[in-house]
Amino acid sequence: MKAVLCTTYGSPDVLELSEVQKPTPKDKEILIKIHATTVTSGDCRIRSFNVPPMFWLPGRLMLGLTKPKQPILGTEFAGEVAAIGKDVTRFKVGDAVFGSSVYNFGTYAEYLCMSEDGFVAIKPRHATYTAAAAIPFGGFTALRFLTKGNTQPGKSVLINGASGAVGTYAVQLAKYFGAEVTAVCSGKNAHFVHSLGADHVIDYTKEDFVTRGQTYDIIFDVHGSTTFSQVKDLFNDYYLHAVMVNAAIKVAWYALTTGKKVAGGAARSLDTQRTEIEDLIMLQQLVELGEITPVIDRIYPLEQIVEAHRYVDTGHKKGVVVITIGENQ
């Protein structure tokens, strides 16, 4: 099968389209023929190994000392179940599915094996494979954080980084939950973010919401450009930080020393009332109902994944960058 390999850390040019052996599903696994995947900022950080110095050694031990342990990157996917293991009961051959391989990667390829109990569900009806692949990472992250922040009608929510993969879902989901939404993005994306449901937009190129002094019930920093000390007097209920370093330690320290509620780090680590699969199914249903819509910036074929990584590296993508594989998107 065709797959994109990353055999060393570096620029997008280290990615190479190659032929590799097609995987075979184990007893409790499904084999997915992938029709679409994505390039996230996380994929690019892993490819380039762009991490803070303090995380260099643990990062290399986890991902690979001199090169990625898993040379096929990518986590999001949408496709069709091509085969199932003998003990699989949740899916059948021919099911259209979407999801994420999370930390196992492997979606920059024509086929992927997943546990039937993994982060995978039936694709939203009427959604293309291209659209479905753009849901899991951004949608799940936004849903988890906003749920953790107890977002509900009447609450005021500021979303910093509202035009990106997570931010576009955060705006839509916050509005779905009934909140008043203030979005922070560049001026050129203001009309777009308004169209997603934002009530107010702050152009960060002209005004810093931190020095503005206005308070909100919830501040959700998707972009990761603020610190607790900067915003501690600007929120009433929760400070949500999607890329917080040493999240567990910091959250505990802030709660102990200030009494403020903070949530940060990986979305999967957040304690909410729903399971991960329940969150994915909720996103499936919200897309089917038209309550949220995947936002796709650009679409590239697998053969142009180097160009896709170069574009995501610019840091200016709007929504999700999708990679198509084969003809059925």
Side-chain angles (χ1 to χ4, degrees):
M1 70 172 183
K2 291 181 180 178
V4 174
L5 303 183
C6 180
T7 57
T8 187
Y9 298 113
S11 72
D13 293 314
V14 303
L15 301 173
E16 297 181 357
L17 186 63
S18 304
E19 286 287 336
V20 301
Q21 186 174 355
K22 179 180 172 181
T24 300
K26 298 176 182 177
D27 292 348
K28 291 284 289 181
E29 289 184 338
I30 59 176
L31 176 68
I32 301 164
K33 180 175 176 58
I34 299 176
H35 294 312
T37 181
T38 66
V39 176
T40 68
S41 56
D43 296 333
C44 292
R45 280 195 295 271
I46 292 169
R47 183 214 73 232
S48 62
F49 201 75
N50 181 18
V51 300
M54 65 184 298
F55 288 103
W56 193 96
L57 183 56
R60 287 288 175 120
L61 291 174
M62 181 176 67
L63 297 173
L65 283 174
T66 61
K67 61 182 180 180
K69 293 178 183 177
Q70 163 57 289
I72 304 175
L73 303 182
T75 56
E76 293 182 288
F77 65 85
E80 184 179 350
V81 177
I84 62 174
K86 68 180 183 67
D87 295 330
V88 169
T89 59
R90 188 175 161 215
F91 299 99
K92 65 182 184 301
V93 172
D95 281 345
V97 296
F98 78 122
S100 171
S101 61
V102 195
Y103 302 127
N104 293 321
F105 311 113
T107 66
Y108 290 178
E110 291 183 301
Y111 290 90
L112 171 75
C113 281
M114 285 275 294
S115 167
E116 73 163 335
D117 298 321
F119 195 61
V120 55
I122 298 296
K123 177 177 72 66
R125 293 190 306 271
H126 311 305
T128 64
Y129 289 111
T130 301
I135 298 170
F137 169 69
F140 176 75
T141 301
L143 180 58
R144 272 275 154 136
F145 273 98
L146 291 173
T147 300
K148 183 66 177 179
N150 194 27
T151 308
Q152 56 184 287
K155 295 293 184 178
S156 58
V157 180
L158 179 136
I159 299 166
N160 183 37
S163 61
V166 177
T168 52
Y169 283 106
V171 171
Q172 295 179 81
L173 287 167
K175 287 304 296 180
Y176 171 74
F177 289 137
E180 180 180 0
V181 177
T182 298
V184 180
C185 62
S186 65
K188 68 178 182 178
N189 290 326
H191 178 74
F192 159 68
V193 172
H194 269 303
S195 74
L196 296 178
D199 300 288
H200 317 283
V201 176
I202 298 174
D203 179 356
Y204 73 82
T205 67
K206 296 181 178 179
E207 186 177 13
D208 184 352
F209 83 87
V210 172
T211 59
R212 197 181 199 203
Q214 185 170 341
T215 60
Y216 304 88
D217 293 314
I218 302 164
I219 292 179
F220 184 12
D221 188 354
V222 175
H223 188 267
S225 59
T226 64
T227 63
F228 175 78
S229 61
Q230 290 176 314
V231 304
K232 60 184 176 63
D233 296 323
L234 302 181
F235 70 95
N236 301 317
D237 297 344
Y238 250 107
Y239 175 45
L240 310 171
H241 196 290
V243 291
M244 183 180 290
V245 177
N246 285 337
I249 296 173
K250 289 183 177 179
V251 167
W253 176 251
Y254 297 146
L256 179 66
T257 58
T258 70
K260 290 277 190 173
K261 294 181 180 179
V262 179
R268 297 185 76 202
S269 67
L270 301 180
D271 180 24
T272 64
Q273 294 182 342
R274 291 185 303 270
T275 66
E276 293 180 5
I277 289 299
E278 287 173 336
D279 277 340
L280 188 62
I281 292 173
M282 180 176 177
L283 292 168
Q284 170 212 67
Q285 294 170 344
L286 290 176
V287 171
E288 290 180 346
L289 293 171
E291 296 290 349
I292 60 174
T293 301
V295 175
I296 297 172
D297 185 339
R298 295 186 182 185
I299 301 173
Y300 296 84
L302 185 66
E303 292 76 11
Q304 294 180 14
I305 199 164
V306 171
E307 288 78 4
H309 268 249
R310 284 201 186 103
Y311 177 61
V312 175
D313 273 349
T314 67
H316 298 301
K317 69 182 178 70
K318 184 171 68 175
V320 181
V321 170
V322 175
I323 301 296
T324 56
I325 304 173
E327 298 178 353
N328 298 317
Q329 283 85 54

